[in-house]
Structures are given as C-alpha cells and as structure tokens.
Amino acid sequence: MINKKVKFIGLDGDDTLWHNEIHFQKAQDDFCKLFKNINPKKIKKKLLEIEKKNLPIYGYGIKGFNLSLLETYIYFNKYITINKVKAILDIGKTMLTKKVQLITDVEKVLMQLKKKI
Ligand SMILES: [Mg+2]
C-alpha cells in the first residue's frame, strides 16, 4: 500500500514565491542606457548570447549576470572607461540590494499548503 500523505512540498523561489525577473529586466534597460546609437534589442540579444555562453562558468545569479553585462559592453565598444565599469558594477549592486518582494498572496497560499502536510 502506498502512503499518499504529503510529506514535502518543493517550490521554486524566483518568480514563484518572489519577484526576480523584473529586476533583471530593469537592469537590462539601465544597461542599454549606457550605450549610444545601438538598438537596445540588439544589445539585449547579444547579452543573452553572452549569458548563455558564460552559464557553465558563472552559473545562474546576479554576479554572473553582472560580468556578462561587462563583457557585452566591451563587445560593442572594444574598450571601457573606469566610469562605465563603475556604472555596470552599480547595476549589479542595485540588484543585489533589492529587498525581497513576495508575489501577491504567496504567504496565504503557503499557509494553506502547510495545513496539508
Ligand atoms: Mg523560478
């Protein structure tokens, strides 16, 4: 006989329990403002390509994303000033210091799930 009582519930965190992707989208928009005369869509496409290439090295997360921003900037500009390095690092720092923003009603849903365990 199989015991059907729920013992564990596993949930993904990012964009399931709390907002995450909105911060990455905002960071990309801020990053694109550092460029002149390059279409943001083209920048974001190259960034995604560089992120995918770097994924086996950096893994997922803001710090790896931040390094990919730097690499993308260099790809388009061939050189980088210290002010641009600082601006790019600040994009990552801003992301890292964001307060966790729970998705609407997530606490209520988790409390309901807890009753089933
Ligand atoms: Mg997720």
Side-chain angles (χ1 to χ4, degrees), residues 8 17 19 36 51 58-59 82 88-89 93-94 96 112:
F8 301 100
L17 301 179
H19 292 284
K36 291 178 182 172
E51 279 187 270
Y58 300 147
I82 202 68
I88 292 168
L89 292 177
K93 285 180 184 174
T94 298
L96 287 166
Q112 288 172 349

Side-chain angles (χ1 to χ4, degrees), residues 12-16:
D12 175 56
D14 292 349
D15 294 313
T16 302

Side-chain angles (χ1 to χ4, degrees), residues 55-91:
L55 206 53
I57 304 164
Y58 300 147
Y60 288 100
I62 292 171
K63 293 174 189 170
F65 172 75
N66 209 183
L67 291 172
S68 292
L69 292 179
L70 199 57
E71 189 174 333
T72 303
Y73 189 88
I74 293 166
Y75 172 84
F76 284 108
N77 293 284
K78 310 305 176 211
Y79 71 93
I80 186 166
T81 64
I82 202 68
N83 285 341
K84 292 295 185 198
V85 171
K86 186 179 179 317
I88 292 168
L89 292 177
D90 284 347
I91 290 172

Side-chain angles (χ1 to χ4, degrees), residues 21 23-33 43-45 47-48 51 65 69 91 95:
E21 185 59 25
H23 303 305
F24 280 88
Q25 293 302 322
K26 170 79 168 71
Q28 288 181 44
D29 291 340
D30 291 344
F31 177 63
C32 289
K33 292 174 187 167
I43 296 167
K44 290 177 183 179
K45 184 179 176 190
L47 172 61
L48 182 60
E51 279 187 270
F65 172 75
L69 292 179
I91 290 172
M95 294 174 78

